Amino acid sequence: VIAALASLRRDHRQVIVCTFYEHLSADDAAARLGIPVRDVKRRACSALDEIRRILKERGVQVPCQPVTLPGPG
C-alpha cells in the first residue's frame, strides 16, 4: 500500500494523507489544502481507484467497498 500511495500524483497523495492517515474531515482537508471540498472528494475517489488498480496489478486482492470520508468534527 505504501508503494501504491507513493506512486500517486502529489495532489491525490495529499488528500489521502489528510483524510485517511490524519483523520481529517473533507471540510478540514479542504481548508488545509486550500481547495474546495468537492475537489477533496473527487481526488480521494480518484486516488483510491488508482491505488486499487496498482494493487491489482501487483496481484493483491482488493475488496471493492464504498469509502466514506469522515464528517466534520
Side-chain angles (χ1 to χ4, degrees):
V1 173
I2 292 171
L5 184 62
S7 70
L8 293 176
R9 292 179 7 198
R10 183 172 185 255
D11 58 337
H12 287 177
R13 187 172 50 252
Q14 288 175 321
V15 166
I16 295 298
V17 169
C18 286
T19 56
F20 290 92
Y21 288 96
E22 296 179 8
H23 306 287
L24 296 180
S25 67
D27 289 336
D28 291 340
R32 177 180 291 178
L33 298 171
I35 60 175
V37 173
R38 72 178 178 277
D39 287 349
V40 168
K41 292 178 180 182
R42 189 177 311 139
R43 290 177 190 181
C45 186
S46 295
L48 291 173
D49 287 344
E50 182 66 8
I51 289 172
R52 281 188 201 97
R53 184 191 65 75
I54 292 167
L55 292 176
K56 284 180 184 180
E57 279 181 359
R58 296 177 183 191
V60 177
Q61 239 183 350
V62 181
C64 189
Q65 46 182 273
V67 174
T68 304
L69 294 178

Short mmCIF file of all heavy atoms in Angstrom, two decimals:
data_model
loop_
_atom_site.label_atom_id
_atom_site.label_comp_id
_atom_site.label_asym_id
_atom_site.label_seq_id
_atom_site.Cartn_x
_atom_site.Cartn_y
_atom_site.Cartn_z
N VAL A 1 0.83 -1.18 0.00
CA VAL A 1 0.00 0.00 0.00
C VAL A 1 0.88 1.25 0.00
O VAL A 1 0.57 2.22 -0.68
CB VAL A 1 -0.96 0.00 1.21
CG1 VAL A 1 -1.70 1.32 1.32
CG2 VAL A 1 -1.93 -1.14 1.13
N ILE A 2 1.97 1.22 0.75
CA ILE A 2 2.87 2.38 0.81
C ILE A 2 3.44 2.68 -0.56
O ILE A 2 3.50 3.85 -0.97
CB ILE A 2 3.99 2.15 1.85
CG1 ILE A 2 3.37 2.13 3.25
CG2 ILE A 2 5.05 3.24 1.76
CD1 ILE A 2 4.31 1.71 4.33
N ALA A 3 3.84 1.66 -1.30
CA ALA A 3 4.39 1.87 -2.65
C ALA A 3 3.31 2.43 -3.58
O ALA A 3 3.58 3.31 -4.39
CB ALA A 3 4.95 0.57 -3.20
N ALA A 4 2.09 1.93 -3.45
CA ALA A 4 0.99 2.44 -4.28
C ALA A 4 0.71 3.89 -3.94
O ALA A 4 0.52 4.73 -4.83
CB ALA A 4 -0.26 1.58 -4.08
N LEU A 5 0.71 4.22 -2.66
CA LEU A 5 0.50 5.60 -2.23
C LEU A 5 1.60 6.51 -2.76
O LEU A 5 1.33 7.60 -3.25
CB LEU A 5 0.43 5.66 -0.70
CG LEU A 5 0.12 7.01 -0.07
CD1 LEU A 5 -1.24 7.51 -0.51
CD2 LEU A 5 0.19 6.91 1.44
N ALA A 6 2.83 6.05 -2.69
CA ALA A 6 3.96 6.84 -3.16
C ALA A 6 3.90 7.10 -4.66
O ALA A 6 4.44 8.10 -5.14
CB ALA A 6 5.27 6.15 -2.79
N SER A 7 3.24 6.23 -5.40
CA SER A 7 3.18 6.38 -6.85
C SER A 7 2.06 7.32 -7.32
O SER A 7 1.97 7.64 -8.49
CB SER A 7 3.04 5.02 -7.52
OG SER A 7 1.76 4.49 -7.27
N LEU A 8 1.22 7.76 -6.38
CA LEU A 8 0.14 8.68 -6.74
C LEU A 8 0.68 10.06 -7.07
O LEU A 8 1.75 10.45 -6.60
CB LEU A 8 -0.84 8.84 -5.57
CG LEU A 8 -1.67 7.64 -5.16
CD1 LEU A 8 -2.50 7.99 -3.94
CD2 LEU A 8 -2.56 7.18 -6.29
N ARG A 9 -0.12 10.80 -7.84
CA ARG A 9 0.20 12.21 -8.06
C ARG A 9 0.19 12.92 -6.71
O ARG A 9 -0.55 12.53 -5.79
CB ARG A 9 -0.85 12.86 -8.96
CG ARG A 9 -0.84 12.37 -10.36
CD ARG A 9 -1.87 13.00 -11.26
NE ARG A 9 -2.63 14.10 -10.67
CZ ARG A 9 -3.78 14.53 -11.14
NH1 ARG A 9 -4.33 13.96 -12.18
NH2 ARG A 9 -4.40 15.55 -10.57
N ARG A 10 1.00 13.95 -6.58
CA ARG A 10 1.15 14.65 -5.30
C ARG A 10 -0.19 15.15 -4.76
O ARG A 10 -0.48 14.99 -3.57
CB ARG A 10 2.12 15.82 -5.47
CG ARG A 10 2.39 16.57 -4.19
CD ARG A 10 3.49 17.60 -4.39
NE ARG A 10 3.83 18.22 -3.13
CZ ARG A 10 3.46 19.44 -2.79
NH1 ARG A 10 2.78 20.20 -3.62
NH2 ARG A 10 3.80 19.93 -1.62
N ASP A 11 -1.03 15.75 -5.62
CA ASP A 11 -2.30 16.29 -5.14
C ASP A 11 -3.24 15.20 -4.63
O ASP A 11 -3.96 15.38 -3.65
CB ASP A 11 -2.98 17.16 -6.19
CG ASP A 11 -3.25 16.46 -7.51
OD1 ASP A 11 -2.59 15.46 -7.82
OD2 ASP A 11 -4.15 16.92 -8.24
N HIS A 12 -3.19 14.03 -5.24
CA HIS A 12 -4.01 12.90 -4.78
C HIS A 12 -3.44 12.34 -3.48
O HIS A 12 -4.20 12.01 -2.56
CB HIS A 12 -4.08 11.81 -5.84
CG HIS A 12 -4.95 12.19 -7.00
ND1 HIS A 12 -5.11 11.37 -8.09
CD2 HIS A 12 -5.71 13.28 -7.25
CE1 HIS A 12 -5.93 11.94 -8.95
NE2 HIS A 12 -6.30 13.11 -8.46
N ARG A 13 -2.14 12.22 -3.40
CA ARG A 13 -1.50 11.69 -2.19
C ARG A 13 -1.80 12.59 -0.99
O ARG A 13 -2.08 12.11 0.11
CB ARG A 13 0.00 11.54 -2.41
CG ARG A 13 0.73 10.85 -1.28
CD ARG A 13 2.19 10.55 -1.59
NE ARG A 13 2.91 11.70 -2.12
CZ ARG A 13 3.31 11.85 -3.38
NH1 ARG A 13 3.06 10.90 -4.27
NH2 ARG A 13 3.97 12.92 -3.76
N GLN A 14 -1.76 13.91 -1.18
CA GLN A 14 -2.03 14.84 -0.09
C GLN A 14 -3.43 14.63 0.49
O GLN A 14 -3.60 14.66 1.71
CB GLN A 14 -1.90 16.29 -0.58
CG GLN A 14 -0.49 16.73 -0.84
CD GLN A 14 -0.43 18.12 -1.43
OE1 GLN A 14 -1.26 18.49 -2.25
NE2 GLN A 14 0.54 18.89 -1.00
N VAL A 15 -4.40 14.43 -0.39
CA VAL A 15 -5.78 14.22 0.06
C VAL A 15 -5.88 12.92 0.86
O VAL A 15 -6.52 12.88 1.92
CB VAL A 15 -6.76 14.24 -1.13
CG1 VAL A 15 -8.12 13.70 -0.73
CG2 VAL A 15 -6.88 15.65 -1.69
N ILE A 16 -5.26 11.86 0.38
CA ILE A 16 -5.31 10.58 1.10
C ILE A 16 -4.64 10.70 2.46
O ILE A 16 -5.16 10.21 3.47
CB ILE A 16 -4.66 9.46 0.25
CG1 ILE A 16 -5.47 9.21 -1.03
CG2 ILE A 16 -4.51 8.17 1.07
CD1 ILE A 16 -6.89 8.73 -0.80
N VAL A 17 -3.51 11.34 2.51
CA VAL A 17 -2.80 11.51 3.79
C VAL A 17 -3.67 12.30 4.76
O VAL A 17 -3.83 11.90 5.93
CB VAL A 17 -1.43 12.18 3.58
CG1 VAL A 17 -0.82 12.61 4.90
CG2 VAL A 17 -0.48 11.23 2.85
N CYS A 18 -4.26 13.39 4.31
CA CYS A 18 -5.10 14.21 5.20
C CYS A 18 -6.33 13.45 5.69
O CYS A 18 -6.64 13.47 6.88
CB CYS A 18 -5.55 15.48 4.48
SG CYS A 18 -4.27 16.73 4.29
N THR A 19 -7.03 12.80 4.78
CA THR A 19 -8.32 12.20 5.14
C THR A 19 -8.20 10.84 5.82
O THR A 19 -8.96 10.54 6.74
CB THR A 19 -9.24 12.06 3.91
OG1 THR A 19 -8.58 11.33 2.90
CG2 THR A 19 -9.63 13.44 3.38
N PHE A 20 -7.25 10.03 5.40
CA PHE A 20 -7.18 8.67 5.94
C PHE A 20 -6.12 8.52 7.03
O PHE A 20 -6.36 7.86 8.03
CB PHE A 20 -6.95 7.66 4.83
CG PHE A 20 -8.17 7.51 3.95
CD1 PHE A 20 -8.31 8.28 2.82
CD2 PHE A 20 -9.17 6.63 4.29
CE1 PHE A 20 -9.44 8.18 2.02
CE2 PHE A 20 -10.31 6.51 3.50
CZ PHE A 20 -10.44 7.29 2.36
N TYR A 21 -4.97 9.13 6.85
CA TYR A 21 -3.91 8.97 7.84
C TYR A 21 -4.02 9.99 8.97
O TYR A 21 -3.71 9.68 10.12
CB TYR A 21 -2.54 9.05 7.18
CG TYR A 21 -2.25 7.81 6.36
CD1 TYR A 21 -2.48 7.80 4.99
CD2 TYR A 21 -1.77 6.66 6.95
CE1 TYR A 21 -2.24 6.65 4.24
CE2 TYR A 21 -1.53 5.52 6.21
CZ TYR A 21 -1.76 5.52 4.86
OH TYR A 21 -1.53 4.40 4.11
N GLU A 22 -4.45 11.22 8.64
CA GLU A 22 -4.59 12.24 9.68
C GLU A 22 -6.02 12.37 10.17
O GLU A 22 -6.31 13.18 11.05
CB GLU A 22 -4.07 13.58 9.14
CG GLU A 22 -2.59 13.53 8.83
CD GLU A 22 -2.04 14.83 8.27
OE1 GLU A 22 -2.77 15.84 8.26
OE2 GLU A 22 -0.88 14.83 7.85
N HIS A 23 -6.93 11.59 9.60
CA HIS A 23 -8.34 11.53 10.02
C HIS A 23 -9.04 12.89 9.96
O HIS A 23 -9.90 13.17 10.80
CB HIS A 23 -8.47 10.93 11.42
CG HIS A 23 -7.81 9.60 11.56
ND1 HIS A 23 -8.33 8.45 11.00
CD2 HIS A 23 -6.65 9.23 12.16
CE1 HIS A 23 -7.52 7.44 11.26
NE2 HIS A 23 -6.49 7.88 11.95
N LEU A 24 -8.69 13.71 8.97
CA LEU A 24 -9.38 14.99 8.80
C LEU A 24 -10.67 14.78 8.02
O LEU A 24 -10.74 13.92 7.15
CB LEU A 24 -8.49 15.98 8.04
CG LEU A 24 -7.20 16.43 8.71
CD1 LEU A 24 -6.46 17.41 7.80
CD2 LEU A 24 -7.47 17.07 10.07
N SER A 25 -11.66 15.58 8.33
CA SER A 25 -12.89 15.56 7.54
C SER A 25 -12.59 16.16 6.17
O SER A 25 -11.54 16.81 5.97
CB SER A 25 -13.97 16.38 8.23
OG SER A 25 -13.61 17.75 8.22
N ALA A 26 -13.50 15.97 5.24
CA ALA A 26 -13.33 16.58 3.92
C ALA A 26 -13.24 18.09 4.04
O ALA A 26 -12.43 18.74 3.36
CB ALA A 26 -14.47 16.16 3.00
N ASP A 27 -14.04 18.68 4.92
CA ASP A 27 -14.01 20.13 5.13
C ASP A 27 -12.65 20.59 5.66
O ASP A 27 -12.09 21.57 5.20
CB ASP A 27 -15.10 20.57 6.10
CG ASP A 27 -16.50 20.47 5.52
OD1 ASP A 27 -16.65 20.51 4.28
OD2 ASP A 27 -17.46 20.36 6.31
N ASP A 28 -12.13 19.86 6.66
CA ASP A 28 -10.84 20.24 7.24
C ASP A 28 -9.69 20.02 6.26
O ASP A 28 -8.76 20.83 6.20
CB ASP A 28 -10.58 19.45 8.53
CG ASP A 28 -11.52 19.87 9.66
OD1 ASP A 28 -12.09 20.98 9.60
OD2 ASP A 28 -11.68 19.08 10.60
N ALA A 29 -9.75 18.94 5.50
CA ALA A 29 -8.72 18.69 4.49
C ALA A 29 -8.75 19.79 3.43
O ALA A 29 -7.70 20.28 3.00
CB ALA A 29 -8.91 17.32 3.84
N ALA A 30 -9.95 20.20 3.03
CA ALA A 30 -10.08 21.26 2.03
C ALA A 30 -9.48 22.56 2.56
O ALA A 30 -8.74 23.25 1.83
CB ALA A 30 -11.55 21.47 1.68
N ALA A 31 -9.75 22.88 3.82
CA ALA A 31 -9.19 24.10 4.41
C ALA A 31 -7.66 24.02 4.47
O ALA A 31 -6.97 24.98 4.13
CB ALA A 31 -9.77 24.31 5.81
N ARG A 32 -7.14 22.88 4.88
CA ARG A 32 -5.68 22.74 4.98
C ARG A 32 -5.02 22.84 3.61
O ARG A 32 -3.97 23.45 3.47
CB ARG A 32 -5.31 21.41 5.62
CG ARG A 32 -3.78 21.24 5.65
CD ARG A 32 -3.32 19.98 6.26
NE ARG A 32 -3.58 19.99 7.69
CZ ARG A 32 -3.31 18.97 8.47
NH1 ARG A 32 -2.76 17.87 7.98
NH2 ARG A 32 -3.56 19.04 9.76
N LEU A 33 -5.63 22.22 2.60
CA LEU A 33 -5.03 22.18 1.27
C LEU A 33 -5.38 23.40 0.41
O LEU A 33 -4.81 23.59 -0.66
CB LEU A 33 -5.45 20.89 0.55
CG LEU A 33 -4.98 19.60 1.22
CD1 LEU A 33 -5.63 18.40 0.55
CD2 LEU A 33 -3.47 19.49 1.21
N GLY A 34 -6.34 24.19 0.87
CA GLY A 34 -6.74 25.38 0.13
C GLY A 34 -7.49 25.08 -1.15
O GLY A 34 -7.33 25.77 -2.15
N ILE A 35 -8.32 24.02 -1.10
CA ILE A 35 -9.10 23.62 -2.27
C ILE A 35 -10.55 23.42 -1.84
O ILE A 35 -10.84 23.23 -0.66
CB ILE A 35 -8.54 22.33 -2.91
CG1 ILE A 35 -8.57 21.15 -1.94
CG2 ILE A 35 -7.12 22.55 -3.45
CD1 ILE A 35 -8.17 19.81 -2.53
N PRO A 36 -11.48 23.44 -2.80
CA PRO A 36 -12.89 23.18 -2.45
C PRO A 36 -13.11 21.75 -1.96
O PRO A 36 -12.38 20.83 -2.34
CB PRO A 36 -13.63 23.40 -3.78
CG PRO A 36 -12.70 24.18 -4.65
CD PRO A 36 -11.32 23.79 -4.22
N VAL A 37 -14.12 21.58 -1.12
CA VAL A 37 -14.47 20.26 -0.58
C VAL A 37 -14.74 19.27 -1.71
O VAL A 37 -14.33 18.12 -1.65
CB VAL A 37 -15.68 20.35 0.37
CG1 VAL A 37 -16.15 18.97 0.81
CG2 VAL A 37 -15.34 21.20 1.58
N ARG A 38 -15.43 19.73 -2.76
CA ARG A 38 -15.74 18.82 -3.87
C ARG A 38 -14.46 18.28 -4.51
O ARG A 38 -14.43 17.14 -4.97
CB ARG A 38 -16.64 19.49 -4.91
CG ARG A 38 -15.96 20.53 -5.75
CD ARG A 38 -16.89 21.13 -6.81
NE ARG A 38 -16.20 22.14 -7.56
CZ ARG A 38 -16.04 23.40 -7.19
NH1 ARG A 38 -16.56 23.82 -6.06
NH2 ARG A 38 -15.37 24.25 -7.93
N ASP A 39 -13.38 19.08 -4.52
CA ASP A 39 -12.11 18.60 -5.07
C ASP A 39 -11.46 17.58 -4.15
O ASP A 39 -10.83 16.63 -4.62
CB ASP A 39 -11.15 19.77 -5.34
CG ASP A 39 -11.57 20.61 -6.53
OD1 ASP A 39 -12.47 20.18 -7.29
OD2 ASP A 39 -11.00 21.70 -6.71
N VAL A 40 -11.61 17.75 -2.85
CA VAL A 40 -11.09 16.75 -1.90
C VAL A 40 -11.77 15.42 -2.18
O VAL A 40 -11.12 14.38 -2.30
CB VAL A 40 -11.32 17.19 -0.43
CG1 VAL A 40 -11.05 16.03 0.53
CG2 VAL A 40 -10.45 18.38 -0.09
N LYS A 41 -13.09 15.44 -2.30
CA LYS A 41 -13.84 14.22 -2.52
C LYS A 41 -13.50 13.59 -3.87
O LYS A 41 -13.31 12.37 -3.97
CB LYS A 41 -15.34 14.49 -2.42
CG LYS A 41 -15.75 14.86 -1.01
CD LYS A 41 -17.22 15.18 -0.91
CE LYS A 41 -17.60 15.54 0.51
NZ LYS A 41 -19.03 15.81 0.63
N ARG A 42 -13.38 14.41 -4.89
CA ARG A 42 -13.06 13.90 -6.23
C ARG A 42 -11.65 13.29 -6.25
O ARG A 42 -11.44 12.21 -6.80
CB ARG A 42 -13.15 15.06 -7.24
CG ARG A 42 -13.05 14.62 -8.68
CD ARG A 42 -13.22 15.78 -9.65
NE ARG A 42 -14.40 16.58 -9.31
CZ ARG A 42 -14.44 17.91 -9.34
NH1 ARG A 42 -13.39 18.60 -9.70
NH2 ARG A 42 -15.53 18.55 -9.02
N ARG A 43 -10.70 13.99 -5.64
CA ARG A 43 -9.32 13.48 -5.62
C ARG A 43 -9.20 12.21 -4.79
O ARG A 43 -8.46 11.29 -5.15
CB ARG A 43 -8.36 14.55 -5.09
CG ARG A 43 -8.18 15.70 -6.04
CD ARG A 43 -7.30 16.77 -5.45
NE ARG A 43 -7.32 17.97 -6.27
CZ ARG A 43 -6.63 19.06 -6.00
NH1 ARG A 43 -5.84 19.11 -4.94
NH2 ARG A 43 -6.71 20.11 -6.79
N ALA A 44 -9.94 12.15 -3.67
CA ALA A 44 -9.91 10.94 -2.84
C ALA A 44 -10.44 9.75 -3.62
O ALA A 44 -9.84 8.67 -3.60
CB ALA A 44 -10.71 11.15 -1.56
N CYS A 45 -11.52 9.95 -4.32
CA CYS A 45 -12.12 8.88 -5.12
C CYS A 45 -11.15 8.42 -6.22
O CYS A 45 -10.91 7.23 -6.40
CB CYS A 45 -13.44 9.35 -5.71
SG CYS A 45 -14.34 8.06 -6.58
N SER A 46 -10.58 9.37 -6.92
CA SER A 46 -9.62 9.05 -7.99
C SER A 46 -8.39 8.35 -7.43
O SER A 46 -7.89 7.38 -8.01
CB SER A 46 -9.19 10.32 -8.73
OG SER A 46 -10.26 10.89 -9.40
N ALA A 47 -7.90 8.84 -6.29
CA ALA A 47 -6.71 8.25 -5.68
C ALA A 47 -6.98 6.81 -5.25
O ALA A 47 -6.14 5.92 -5.47
CB ALA A 47 -6.26 9.08 -4.49
N LEU A 48 -8.13 6.56 -4.65
CA LEU A 48 -8.46 5.20 -4.21
C LEU A 48 -8.62 4.27 -5.40
O LEU A 48 -8.18 3.11 -5.35
CB LEU A 48 -9.71 5.22 -3.34
CG LEU A 48 -9.53 5.89 -1.99
CD1 LEU A 48 -10.86 6.02 -1.27
CD2 LEU A 48 -8.51 5.15 -1.14
N ASP A 49 -9.22 4.76 -6.47
CA ASP A 49 -9.31 3.95 -7.69
C ASP A 49 -7.92 3.59 -8.21
O ASP A 49 -7.67 2.45 -8.62
CB ASP A 49 -10.09 4.68 -8.79
CG ASP A 49 -11.58 4.75 -8.53
OD1 ASP A 49 -12.07 3.98 -7.67
OD2 ASP A 49 -12.24 5.58 -9.18
N GLU A 50 -7.02 4.56 -8.19
CA GLU A 50 -5.66 4.34 -8.67
C GLU A 50 -4.91 3.35 -7.76
O GLU A 50 -4.21 2.46 -8.23
CB GLU A 50 -4.90 5.67 -8.74
CG GLU A 50 -3.50 5.55 -9.28
CD GLU A 50 -3.41 5.13 -10.74
OE1 GLU A 50 -4.44 5.05 -11.43
OE2 GLU A 50 -2.28 4.85 -11.19
N ILE A 51 -5.08 3.48 -6.45
CA ILE A 51 -4.44 2.54 -5.51
C ILE A 51 -4.96 1.13 -5.76
O ILE A 51 -4.19 0.17 -5.81
CB ILE A 51 -4.68 2.98 -4.05
CG1 ILE A 51 -3.84 4.24 -3.75
CG2 ILE A 51 -4.33 1.85 -3.08
CD1 ILE A 51 -4.15 4.87 -2.41
N ARG A 52 -6.28 0.99 -5.94
CA ARG A 52 -6.85 -0.34 -6.23
C ARG A 52 -6.25 -0.92 -7.50
O ARG A 52 -5.90 -2.09 -7.56
CB ARG A 52 -8.37 -0.24 -6.38
CG ARG A 52 -9.11 -0.19 -5.09
CD ARG A 52 -10.62 -0.29 -5.32
NE ARG A 52 -11.30 0.25 -4.17
CZ ARG A 52 -11.77 1.47 -4.06
NH1 ARG A 52 -11.68 2.31 -5.06
NH2 ARG A 52 -12.35 1.87 -2.96
N ARG A 53 -6.13 -0.08 -8.55
CA ARG A 53 -5.58 -0.54 -9.83
C ARG A 53 -4.14 -1.01 -9.64
O ARG A 53 -3.76 -2.09 -10.11
CB ARG A 53 -5.64 0.58 -10.87
CG ARG A 53 -5.19 0.15 -12.25
CD ARG A 53 -5.00 1.32 -13.19
NE ARG A 53 -3.92 2.21 -12.78
CZ ARG A 53 -2.62 1.94 -12.91
NH1 ARG A 53 -2.23 0.79 -13.41
NH2 ARG A 53 -1.71 2.81 -12.53
N ILE A 54 -3.34 -0.23 -8.94
CA ILE A 54 -1.93 -0.58 -8.72
C ILE A 54 -1.82 -1.88 -7.94
O ILE A 54 -1.03 -2.76 -8.29
CB ILE A 54 -1.20 0.57 -7.99
CG1 ILE A 54 -1.09 1.79 -8.90
CG2 ILE A 54 0.17 0.12 -7.50
CD1 ILE A 54 -0.68 3.07 -8.19
N LEU A 55 -2.61 -2.01 -6.89
CA LEU A 55 -2.54 -3.23 -6.08
C LEU A 55 -2.98 -4.46 -6.86
O LEU A 55 -2.37 -5.53 -6.75
CB LEU A 55 -3.38 -3.06 -4.81
CG LEU A 55 -2.84 -2.04 -3.80
CD1 LEU A 55 -3.81 -1.89 -2.64
CD2 LEU A 55 -1.46 -2.42 -3.31
N LYS A 56 -4.03 -4.31 -7.68
CA LYS A 56 -4.47 -5.43 -8.51
C LYS A 56 -3.39 -5.84 -9.49
O LYS A 56 -3.17 -7.04 -9.72
CB LYS A 56 -5.76 -5.07 -9.25
CG LYS A 56 -6.97 -5.10 -8.37
CD LYS A 56 -8.22 -4.74 -9.15
CE LYS A 56 -9.43 -4.69 -8.24
NZ LYS A 56 -10.65 -4.33 -8.98
N GLU A 57 -2.70 -4.86 -10.08
CA GLU A 57 -1.58 -5.17 -10.99
C GLU A 57 -0.50 -5.98 -10.29
O GLU A 57 0.19 -6.77 -10.92
CB GLU A 57 -0.95 -3.88 -11.52
CG GLU A 57 -1.69 -3.23 -12.65
CD GLU A 57 -0.99 -1.97 -13.13
OE1 GLU A 57 0.06 -1.58 -12.58
OE2 GLU A 57 -1.52 -1.34 -14.07
N ARG A 58 -0.36 -5.77 -9.00
CA ARG A 58 0.67 -6.48 -8.21
C ARG A 58 0.16 -7.77 -7.61
O ARG A 58 0.84 -8.40 -6.81
CB ARG A 58 1.21 -5.56 -7.12
CG ARG A 58 1.92 -4.36 -7.72
CD ARG A 58 2.40 -3.41 -6.70
NE ARG A 58 3.01 -2.25 -7.36
CZ ARG A 58 3.70 -1.33 -6.76
NH1 ARG A 58 3.88 -1.39 -5.46
NH2 ARG A 58 4.21 -0.33 -7.43
N GLY A 59 -1.07 -8.13 -7.99
CA GLY A 59 -1.61 -9.41 -7.54
C GLY A 59 -2.27 -9.38 -6.17
O GLY A 59 -2.57 -10.43 -5.61
N VAL A 60 -2.51 -8.20 -5.64
CA VAL A 60 -3.15 -8.09 -4.34
C VAL A 60 -4.66 -8.06 -4.56
O VAL A 60 -5.16 -7.29 -5.37
CB VAL A 60 -2.71 -6.80 -3.61
CG1 VAL A 60 -3.43 -6.64 -2.29
CG2 VAL A 60 -1.20 -6.79 -3.43
N GLN A 61 -5.38 -8.91 -3.83
CA GLN A 61 -6.83 -8.90 -3.93
C GLN A 61 -7.37 -7.75 -3.09
O GLN A 61 -7.07 -7.63 -1.91
CB GLN A 61 -7.40 -10.21 -3.42
CG GLN A 61 -8.20 -10.91 -4.46
CD GLN A 61 -8.83 -12.18 -3.91
OE1 GLN A 61 -8.54 -12.63 -2.82
NE2 GLN A 61 -9.68 -12.75 -4.70
N VAL A 62 -8.13 -6.89 -3.74
CA VAL A 62 -8.64 -5.69 -3.08
C VAL A 62 -10.16 -5.76 -3.02
O VAL A 62 -10.81 -5.89 -4.05
CB VAL A 62 -8.22 -4.42 -3.86
CG1 VAL A 62 -8.72 -3.18 -3.17
CG2 VAL A 62 -6.72 -4.39 -4.04
N PRO A 63 -10.73 -5.70 -1.81
CA PRO A 63 -12.18 -5.70 -1.71
C PRO A 63 -12.74 -4.41 -2.31
O PRO A 63 -12.14 -3.35 -2.18
CB PRO A 63 -12.46 -5.77 -0.21
CG PRO A 63 -11.21 -5.31 0.45
CD PRO A 63 -10.09 -5.59 -0.51
N CYS A 64 -13.85 -4.52 -2.96
CA CYS A 64 -14.47 -3.36 -3.58
C CYS A 64 -15.62 -2.91 -2.69
O CYS A 64 -16.69 -3.49 -2.71
CB CYS A 64 -14.97 -3.70 -4.98
SG CYS A 64 -15.50 -2.27 -5.89
N GLN A 65 -15.36 -1.92 -1.86
CA GLN A 65 -16.40 -1.40 -1.00
C GLN A 65 -16.36 0.12 -1.02
O GLN A 65 -15.30 0.71 -1.15
CB GLN A 65 -16.28 -1.93 0.42
CG GLN A 65 -14.89 -1.89 1.00
CD GLN A 65 -14.84 -2.48 2.38
OE1 GLN A 65 -15.08 -1.79 3.33
NE2 GLN A 65 -14.55 -3.74 2.51
N PRO A 66 -17.51 0.75 -0.91
CA PRO A 66 -17.53 2.21 -0.94
C PRO A 66 -16.80 2.79 0.27
O PRO A 66 -16.78 2.20 1.34
CB PRO A 66 -19.01 2.55 -0.90
CG PRO A 66 -19.72 1.33 -0.47
CD PRO A 66 -18.81 0.16 -0.74
N VAL A 67 -16.21 3.93 0.06
CA VAL A 67 -15.48 4.62 1.11
C VAL A 67 -16.20 5.91 1.43
O VAL A 67 -16.62 6.64 0.55
CB VAL A 67 -14.03 4.93 0.65
CG1 VAL A 67 -13.32 5.77 1.68
CG2 VAL A 67 -13.28 3.64 0.39
N THR A 68 -16.36 6.18 2.73
CA THR A 68 -16.99 7.41 3.16
C THR A 68 -15.95 8.23 3.90
O THR A 68 -15.30 7.73 4.81
CB THR A 68 -18.18 7.13 4.09
OG1 THR A 68 -19.08 6.26 3.41
CG2 THR A 68 -18.88 8.40 4.50
N LEU A 69 -15.78 9.48 3.47
CA LEU A 69 -14.84 10.35 4.16
C LEU A 69 -15.44 10.75 5.50
O LEU A 69 -16.66 10.91 5.63
CB LEU A 69 -14.57 11.60 3.33
CG LEU A 69 -13.84 11.36 2.01
CD1 LEU A 69 -13.69 12.69 1.26
CD2 LEU A 69 -12.47 10.78 2.26
N PRO A 70 -14.59 10.96 6.51
CA PRO A 70 -15.08 11.38 7.81
C PRO A 70 -15.82 12.71 7.72
O PRO A 70 -15.45 13.57 6.94
CB PRO A 70 -13.82 11.53 8.66
CG PRO A 70 -12.72 10.93 7.89
CD PRO A 70 -13.15 10.83 6.46
N GLY A 71 -16.84 12.85 8.52
CA GLY A 71 -17.61 14.11 8.53
C GLY A 71 -16.91 15.16 9.38
O GLY A 71 -15.84 14.91 9.93
N PRO A 72 -17.51 16.34 9.49
CA PRO A 72 -16.90 17.41 10.28
C PRO A 72 -16.76 16.99 11.74
O PRO A 72 -17.55 16.23 12.26
CB PRO A 72 -17.90 18.57 10.17
CG PRO A 72 -18.81 18.23 9.03
CD PRO A 72 -18.75 16.75 8.85
N GLY A 73 -15.73 17.54 12.35
CA GLY A 73 -15.60 17.30 13.80
C GLY A 73 -14.43 16.51 14.08
O GLY A 73 -13.83 16.03 14.79
#
